Amino acid sequence: MSKHKLWIRMSSIVLSAVISMSPLLSTTQVYAATEPTVTLVGQDILTTGAVLKKYVWKSTRSNKEYMTNGNVIEVDLTNPYVKLDVMTGTNNQLTKEQSILGMATETKAVAGVNGDFYNTKAEGVPMGPEISNGQLVATPPYLPGFYSFALTKDNVPIVDLFTFQGSIKAKDGAKFALGGINKTYYWFEPGGEHSHIDAMFMYTNAWGQVDRSNDGVTVPTEVLVQKGIITKIADNAIIDMIAPQDGYILRASGKAADFVREHMKVGDPLVADYEILPQDPSKKYDAKNFKMMIGGHTIMVDGGQATEFSRTVDDLCCYRSRTAIGYSQDMKKAYLITVDNSGESKGLSMTELQQFMIKVGVWKGMNLDGGGSTQMVARPLGEFNPVLVNKTETGVQRKVVNGVGVYSTAPKGDVSALFIQAPEFLFLNEQVPLKFKGYDIFYNPVVSDNVVAQWSSDNQAGTFNENVFTPTKVGTAKVTAKSGNGTQSAEIPVVGRDQLAGLRISGSDIALSEGSSYKLPVIATTKSGKSREVPAELIQWEVLGMKGEVKNGVLNVESLAGATQVQLIARYDGYSTMLTLAIGKDKVWYDLDTNAVMTLSRPLPEGVTTSVYIREENKNKYLELAYDFTKGEGTKWAYADMDTGIQIEGQPQLLKLKVNGDESLNALKTEIKDNSGKIYYVELTPNINWKGWKQLSVDLSAYDLKYPITVKSVYVVNDKMGQDERAAVGKVGLDDITFSYKGQITTPSNNSVKLTVNKTAVTVNSKNMTLEQAPVIISGNTLLPIRFVTDALGGTVRWDDNERKVTVIRGDKMIDLWIDNPDLIVNGKRITAEVAPRIMKDVTMVPLRILSENLGWKVTWDEKTQQITLQ
C-alpha cells in the first residue's frame, strides 16, 4: 500500500478510504439474495419510547439455507422521555476508545450500538462528524460519500452528506482556513494530498491526549487560545497539554505555520468562525442547533428502496456482522440495527443488509462501522445496567471510538411491576433478606433498596422483619411484596432434612497447615436437583483428629500435633456429611538463612529502577526488593529474578510467602515456569495494603501446571490504571518461600470375616467369636449386627436414642442409618436401601449390601453353605 492511504476500521479488516468514486457501484453489482424472509421472534421494552426487536433473516446461498440474527432498537422520536445521543470513548473524550458496553454503562444509556469508522493507525477518533449533547465534537472530513445521521432541535432525523467551513481571523484581520476540528490526518480524494500539510486544525478539550495528529509527515506549530486570547505559541513544537475547557489549541504546519508567525502573537485576540453545512447547498439545515450527529459510511436505503452506494464497497461485500442506522417514512422512528456473523448466525452482505433495513421499516438509512466492531447493548427491563445483546464476530467486545446511545429522560413514577428476588429454595430458620426488582410506569428500573414495599406471608410459613424473612416450617412459603401499583407473590420451597438429596463440604483440595484458616462452604442439593450454600449459622460442626474449631464457616487450625488426618462433620437439620483431610507437609524453599537462591533485580519498562538487597532483622535474613516507578510509561514492574535452574520438588499444592508490606497498594505476583516451559503469572495479592510482615498463600492447584516447576521471579506491579492511587517508590521484604504438599488419606485395612446365616458362630482373621444375634435374610437382603461389623472392621459406632439413629465412621466414610427407615446418608449422599435397619432382640441389624458397597468390603456368598465371607 502507498503511504498516501487512510486506513479506517471496518470490523476486523482494515479498509482503504482512498477509493475511486466513479463509477458508483449499484446494488445489483454486489450480491443478489434469493427471496429472504425476515421474522420477528421477540420484542422487549427497554424504556418508555424504546423497544428492542429481535429478528431472524433466512435465505439461501448456493442452494443452501442459512440464517442470520438481527437486532433492532426502535426509538420513538416523538416521545419526550427518550433521546438519542452520541457516546464518546472514555469520559466523553476522543482518543480514549472503549467498548460500547463500557460507554453505555459510563453514560447511563439504556441501550446503544457502535458508531463511526475510524483510522486504526492513528489516535482513535471518528472519521466523520460528531455532535454530542448539542456540542460540536468533530467536523466532517473533506471526503466524498461519507453520510451522517443527525437529529434537529425538533427531533427530526436527517441522513445526508455534510461538509465543513471555517476560518481563523487574526487581530490584523487576516484569515486562514480551518481544516477541521478534532480530526486525525487523512488523504484527500482523488488526489491523495495529506490533510495536514499547509493546514490549520483546531483541537478542543474533547481531544483526550497531548499528541494532536502527529504522524511524522508535518511539523506542528501550536497556538493555545483561552477565552478568545492567544496565551502561548510553540513554534515547530507542541504545547504539552490537553486543550483547556475555556479554549482550544490550533495545530498549524507549512503555510499555516507561516500565517501564525506573521499574524499572531501572545496576547492578541483571535476569532474562530466555523459551521457544518450540507454538501448540497440547496438544503438549509440549522446544523448549529443539531441535538446529535454521527458519521458513517455509505448510504444504504433512500425512499424505502435500496440505493446506490455512495462509496465503493468492494471490501464490504462479504458476509459480516453489520451495524446501521436509519429512520421511518413518517420520521417518527429511528432504528439502530445490528446483524451478526457468529456461530449459526452467518452475517449479511451489504446488499442483504439493505433488504434487511427495508423489511424492518427503514425509509432512509446508512451504514455504520461493522464486522468485529459490531456491538449492541441494552438494559433488560427492571435492571440498572445494560448487557451485550448481540454475539460479537470475534468473541470480544472491541474498543471503538464512539457509539449511538439511547437515554431515558423520564421522571420517577409509580411502581408498575415487581419481580421478587429470592433463592431457589430456603433453609429452615435462615434469615434471608428478600428483595425485588421492577419498573415504574415509565419503565425506569426500581429496586427494594430505594422503594418501600410491604412484605407478607399468607400461609404462616415464617415471619418478616421488614424484608427479612425467616421460614419456620418445611414446605412452601408464599411471600408477597406490594409497592405502589405493583404486587408480586412468589412460592419458595423451604427444605429440611427430608427434602435433601445431598450435603457436601466444599474444601477437598485444602492442604491443612497449622495456624491457618480455611473457609468451608457447605452445599446442599435438594431432591429436585437444585443446589445452594447453607448459611454458616445453620451448620453444626464437629472436628475430629486435631485441635481446632469451625466458626461462621471458617476452620481455624490450632494444632496438628500427632495428627495424620482430620475429619470434619457438618450437620444441617440432622442431615450430616463428612470431609476427611490429610495433613499437609510444608517445605521451606527460600529463606536466605539456610536455603539461599541467587536473586537479581530486573526493571521494566525503560525508566523504572529496582534493586535487591539481603537485609537482616532480629538475626533473620530476608530479601528486600526496592523499586522506583516515577519514570517510564504505562504498567511498570520490579522483579526479583531467581535461579530457574533449581526445580521445586514434587507437586506442591500451595505456595506460601512472608511479605514485609509497604502500604503501596501495588500488586505482588510470582512467575512460575512449569516443565513444558509455560510461564504462569500468579497473583499473591492484588494490593500491598499493610505494613509489617504478613504471610501470603496461593493455591497452585488452580493452575494447569506440568511438574516439576521452578520459581522464575517474585515481582511488584504498578498497573497503568489508577497509578495516582498507588505509591511509585517503595520496598518490600520477601522471606520463607514455602511449598505445601497435600498428605495422603489412610484407610483401615480390612479384616477377614466369615459368618453363616442364622448362626452366631463367626471367625475374624481365623479367630472364633460368637455373635449376640445371628445374621438373617429378610426380603432377599442379609442383615448383620452393626456393632460387630464395625468392631471387626475397626470403625466406630454412635447411637442417638432420640432419633433412633446409628452413625458409622470408618476411615473417610460416614454412614447415618435410622431404625425402620430405608433412607440412609453416606458421606452426605442420600441412599435408599431395599430393607430398612431394624432392632432384633435389642440388637441393631443393618443391611450388609449397604455396608459392603460403602465401606470398602469385598463380599463373597456361598449359596450352598449359606456362608458369607468379608474381606
Side-chain angles (χ1 to χ4, degrees):
M1 284 290 184
S2 163
K3 70 176 181 179
H4 298 297
K5 290 289 180 112
L6 170 65
W7 295 92
I8 59 176
R9 183 180 294 282
M10 173 58 187
S11 68
S12 61
I13 60 175
V14 180
L15 301 174
S16 170
V18 186
I19 304 173
S20 173
M21 287 303 300
S22 60
L24 292 176
L25 185 63
S26 72
T27 59
T28 58
Q29 289 175 291
V30 189
Y31 277 86
T34 56
E35 298 300 328
T37 61
V38 177
T39 305
L40 179 66
V41 294
Q43 183 168 306
D44 299 304
I45 295 173
L46 301 177
T47 186
T48 180
V51 62
L52 170 63
K53 295 183 176 180
K54 299 180 179 181
Y55 293 90
V56 171
W57 161 291
K58 290 185 178 180
S59 188
T60 58
R61 294 175 185 151
S62 301
N63 297 318
K64 183 178 180 180
E65 292 186 356
Y66 71 97
M67 56 82 67
T68 298
N69 294 323
N71 300 293
V72 179
I73 298 172
E74 185 179 290
V75 180
D76 182 358
L77 298 176
T78 67
N79 190 306
Y81 295 135
V82 67
K83 75 169 186 176
L84 285 179
D85 208 345
V86 179
M87 309 180 292
T88 308
T90 303
N91 295 326
N92 204 35
Q93 285 191 308
L94 301 173
T95 75
K96 297 183 177 181
E97 301 164 16
Q98 188 174 193
S99 69
I100 293 301
L101 182 59
M103 292 185 203
T105 302
E106 179 184 301
T107 62
K108 300 188 185 316
V110 173
V113 297
N114 59 295
D116 201 355
F117 292 76
Y118 59 101
N119 186 337
T120 62
K121 304 299 182 182
E123 303 87 349
V125 295
M127 276 292 301
E130 178 180 324
I131 295 174
S132 178
N133 196 29
Q135 301 297 312
L136 178 62
V137 177
T139 52
Y142 292 122
L143 292 170
F146 281 97
Y147 271 76
S148 299
F149 176 94
L151 289 177
T152 72
K153 64 180 180 179
D154 299 318
N155 238 29
V156 175
I158 296 170
V159 173
D160 213 334
L161 295 167
F162 289 86
T163 188
F164 169 76
Q165 179 176 293
S167 65
I168 293 294
K169 182 179 179 182
K171 181 181 179 180
D172 61 5
K175 292 184 177 180
F176 198 92
L178 262 181
I181 299 175
N182 292 330
K183 305 306 293 181
T184 190
Y185 57 88
Y186 60 97
W187 287 265
F188 298 129
E189 297 171 3
E193 299 87 358
H194 191 281
S195 61
H196 283 48
I197 292 177
D198 294 328
M200 184 180 295
F201 283 79
M202 177 187 292
Y203 296 87
T204 70
N205 186 253
W207 187 276
Q209 65 184 46
V210 171
D211 185 0
R212 282 165 283 274
S213 196
N214 294 321
D215 68 334
V217 175
T218 60
V219 177
T221 287
E222 295 196 334
V223 180
L224 174 62
V225 182
Q226 289 183 269
K227 298 180 179 179
I229 302 298
I230 298 173
T231 60
K232 186 175 183 178
I233 297 176
D235 195 1
N236 289 333
I238 66 170
I239 297 174
D240 191 18
M241 62 180 289
I242 295 173
Q245 292 186 349
D246 62 351
Y248 54 86
I249 292 176
L250 295 174
R251 184 196 189 280
S253 69
K255 294 178 181 179
D258 292 340
F259 180 87
V260 171
R261 298 183 188 103
E262 184 176 350
H263 298 284
M264 298 185 192
K265 65 178 182 293
V266 174
D268 281 356
L270 205 62
V271 177
D273 183 28
Y274 51 83
E275 60 182 330
I276 292 178
L277 301 168
Q279 288 190 18
D280 183 348
S282 67
K283 297 179 180 179
K284 305 298 180 183
Y285 297 132
D286 183 15
K288 289 184 178 180
N289 291 310
F290 280 175
K291 289 184 175 182
M292 62 83 69
M293 187 178 201
I294 194 163
H297 191 254
T298 178
I299 191 170
M300 301 291 291
V301 177
D302 194 2
Q305 301 292 322
T307 186
E308 291 185 341
F309 298 125
S310 55
R311 294 190 64 81
T312 54
V313 292
D314 291 342
D315 291 314
L316 303 178
C317 63
C318 308
Y319 302 116
R320 304 297 306 273
S321 295
R322 308 285 182 184
T323 310
I325 189 170
Y327 61 82
S328 61
Q329 184 175 2
D330 60 10
M331 296 187 169
K332 294 181 179 180
K333 294 178 182 177
Y335 304 98
L336 310 181
I337 299 168
T338 63
V339 294
D340 294 345
N341 175 21
S342 178
E344 294 182 356
S345 180
K346 299 305 181 183
L348 298 180
S349 69
M350 289 290 282
T351 51
E352 289 174 334
L353 178 61
Q354 289 177 307
Q355 296 176 56
F356 181 88
M357 293 171 69
I358 294 167
K359 288 178 180 293
V360 300
V362 174
W363 180 255
K364 190 171 186 179
M366 67 182 199
N367 175 226
L368 293 173
D369 195 5
S373 294
T374 293
Q375 299 163 67
M376 176 181 284
V377 300
R379 185 184 72 187
L381 197 58
E383 299 289 341
F384 278 81
N385 296 314
V387 297
L388 186 67
V389 171
N390 73 311
K391 292 185 178 180
T392 60
E393 189 171 275
T394 60
V396 298
Q397 297 179 53
R398 174 178 286 164
K399 293 181 179 181
V400 295
V401 298
N402 61 10
V404 182
V406 181
Y407 296 87
S408 172
T409 61
K412 292 183 179 180
D414 293 334
V415 176
S416 176
L418 301 177
F419 313 104
I420 290 178
Q421 294 178 293
E424 289 189 299
F425 62 89
L426 304 179
F427 296 103
L428 198 61
N429 297 316
E430 77 167 308
Q431 295 182 344
V432 55
L434 297 182
K435 296 185 177 183
F436 63 77
K437 290 185 178 180
Y439 53 87
D440 64 16
I441 58 174
F442 298 111
Y443 302 103
N444 295 315
V446 297
V447 293
S448 52
D449 292 340
N450 53 30
V451 174
V452 177
Q454 294 78 46
W455 290 90
S456 62
S457 174
D458 59 2
N459 60 347
Q460 298 182 342
T463 60
F464 271 102
N465 181 6
E466 294 182 343
N467 69 313
V468 178
F469 180 61
T470 303
T472 55
K473 66 179 183 179
V474 171
T476 300
K478 185 176 181 180
V479 297
T480 300
K482 184 176 182 180
S483 180
N485 295 321
T487 300
Q488 179 67 34
S489 295
E491 293 186 347
I492 312 171
V494 180
V495 303
R497 177 175 70 194
D498 293 341
Q499 286 73 44
L500 294 184
L503 192 71
R504 65 179 177 86
I505 303 169
S506 180
S508 59
D509 291 333
I510 292 175
L512 291 177
S513 181
E514 202 165 277
S516 299
S517 297
Y518 307 90
K519 191 175 185 305
L520 294 175
V522 179
I523 312 300
T525 301
T526 66
K527 290 180 178 179
S528 62
K530 297 177 180 178
S531 296
R532 185 177 160 229
E533 183 178 344
V534 184
E537 63 272 14
L538 299 182
I539 298 294
Q540 293 80 47
W541 287 94
E542 184 177 358
V543 179
L544 304 175
M546 73 169 187
K547 187 177 180 181
E549 63 177 348
V550 181
K551 285 187 175 181
N552 297 319
V554 176
L555 170 65
N556 299 299
V557 181
E558 297 178 31
S559 174
L560 293 172
T564 57
Q565 61 188 34
V566 173
Q567 293 164 321
L568 305 172
I569 300 174
R571 298 183 178 90
Y572 162 67
D573 192 31
Y575 195 109
S576 303
T577 188
M578 186 175 75
L579 174 66
T580 303
L581 298 172
I583 306 303
K585 295 181 180 180
D586 287 350
K587 292 185 179 180
V588 178
W589 174 72
Y590 180 103
D591 68 358
L592 288 180
D593 291 306
T594 58
N595 296 290
V597 175
M598 178 63 71
T599 308
L600 301 172
S601 65
R602 173 168 56 100
L604 280 176
E606 185 178 355
V608 172
T609 59
T610 183
S611 58
V612 293
Y613 300 95
I614 296 177
R615 303 297 191 193
E616 187 168 338
E617 180 181 85
N618 299 325
K619 297 183 178 180
N620 176 66
K621 294 179 182 179
Y622 66 91
L623 187 76
E624 181 180 272
L625 172 61
Y627 55 87
D628 187 340
F629 293 142
T630 53
K631 297 180 181 179
E633 298 291 335
T635 300
K636 303 164 189 179
W637 299 266
Y639 292 85
D641 282 341
M642 298 177 179
D643 184 354
T644 56
I646 304 176
Q647 293 184 334
I648 308 303
E649 178 184 345
Q651 298 186 11
Q653 183 180 14
L654 297 179
L655 182 153
K656 294 188 288 189
L657 169 67
K658 291 181 180 177
V659 178
N660 192 4
D662 59 0
E663 287 186 325
S664 63
L665 301 183
N666 292 312
L668 186 68
K669 299 185 178 183
T670 180
E671 291 177 291
I672 302 294
K673 182 179 180 181
D674 76 356
N675 198 40
S676 71
K678 184 176 180 180
I679 304 295
Y680 292 83
Y681 304 95
V682 179
E683 185 173 79
L684 296 167
T685 180
N687 54 73
I688 305 171
N689 58 4
W690 70 91
K691 271 193 176 295
W693 288 98
K694 178 180 180 180
Q695 181 170 280
L696 306 178
S697 67
V698 61
D699 186 358
L700 297 179
S701 66
Y703 300 86
D704 186 24
L705 298 172
K706 304 294 187 295
Y707 293 95
I709 62 174
T710 59
V711 178
K712 188 173 186 290
S713 71
V714 177
Y715 61 104
V716 177
V717 184
N718 187 317
D719 192 82
K720 66 179 179 180
M721 298 297 291
Q723 283 186 349
D724 58 336
E725 299 175 359
R726 295 187 293 274
V729 179
K731 55 187 178 183
V732 296
L734 308 173
D735 198 12
D736 292 350
I737 299 179
T738 302
F739 289 95
S740 295
Y741 297 81
K742 189 175 181 180
Q744 297 296 318
I745 296 174
T746 59
T747 301
S749 59
N750 290 351
N751 294 325
S752 176
V753 180
K754 292 184 179 182
L755 39 77
T756 305
V757 173
N758 296 325
K759 291 184 180 181
T760 59
V762 299
T763 62
V764 178
N765 294 334
S766 301
K767 182 179 179 180
N768 295 327
M769 298 180 63
T770 302
L771 297 176
E772 53 187 333
Q773 168 62 45
V776 297
I777 295 179
I778 298 177
S779 300
N781 288 264
T782 303
L783 274 65
L784 304 179
I786 183 63
R787 187 167 298 280
F788 165 76
V789 172
T790 53
D791 286 346
L793 289 173
T796 61
V797 178
R798 298 176 178 180
W799 169 256
D800 186 328
D801 195 50
N802 290 329
E803 287 200 47
R804 289 167 54 83
K805 180 178 74 172
V806 177
T807 299
V808 180
I809 301 175
R810 181 178 186 269
D812 61 347
K813 301 290 194 301
M814 184 178 73
I815 304 177
D816 284 337
L817 309 97
W818 286 265
I819 302 301
D820 299 326
N821 186 343
D823 281 1
L824 56 142
I825 311 300
V826 180
N827 276 18
K829 184 178 180 181
R830 185 183 296 274
I831 295 175
T832 300
E834 295 180 6
V835 176
R838 63 186 61 192
I839 294 178
M840 301 175 64
K841 297 180 181 180
D842 294 328
V843 176
T844 302
M845 305 289 286
V846 296
L848 170 61
R849 179 178 299 173
I850 292 298
L851 295 179
S852 64
E853 289 177 352
N854 294 285
L855 293 180
W857 262 344
K858 179 181 179 182
V859 180
T860 304
W861 166 251
D862 188 325
E863 178 70 30
K864 183 177 180 180
T865 63
Q866 298 281 286
Q867 189 176 72
I868 302 165
T869 301
L870 309 177
Q871 57 187 16

